[in-house]
Amino acid sequence: KYLHQVNGNKPEQEWPIYCIKLAPYAPEQNPIEAVWLQVKNFLRKVWHLLKTFKITKYLFELFLGYFVLHSSHLTMYGIFS
């Protein structure tokens, strides 16, 4: 209902907002889970630098700032393919 209010009667290729339905209870299909996995793996590799929460937060944000998700799961969702 909300998408119709925002997108109006525009053709789908002109929609400013899309709704991507993720499979419930299927983390292996959710691209957000792939992001979290890669962030956690990065932090595990640099664990010796994580002396304070401030440093951990900084490295977390730094990683996400340069992060590019390469996941085969993204092709499941039309907008990413």
Side-chain angles (χ1 to χ4, degrees):
K1 185 175 179 175
Y2 175 75
L3 288 177
H4 179 69
Q5 291 172 347
V6 173
N7 296 327
N9 293 324
K10 295 177 184 176
E12 187 173 346
Q13 59 271 20
E14 294 179 17
W15 286 2
I17 295 179
Y18 288 87
C19 179
I20 301 170
K21 295 183 179 183
L22 302 175
Y25 309 109
E28 68 279 357
Q29 294 179 9
N30 187 335
I32 299 303
E33 294 295 333
V35 172
W36 284 121
L37 178 63
Q38 291 185 35
V39 171
K40 289 187 292 186
N41 285 337
F42 168 73
L43 292 176
R44 285 183 188 118
K45 288 178 184 175
V46 297
W47 65 269
H48 58 283
L49 300 173
L50 309 177
K51 305 287 185 206
T52 66
F53 179 76
K54 186 175 181 177
I55 294 170
T56 304
K57 181 181 175 204
Y58 173 78
L59 289 174
F60 176 83
E61 290 173 348
L62 182 70
F63 179 83
L64 288 179
Y66 291 97
F67 177 75
V68 177
L69 177 63
H70 299 286
S71 175
S72 59
H73 302 301
L74 291 178
T75 58
M76 291 184 211
Y77 306 103
I79 193 161
F80 296 111
S81 53

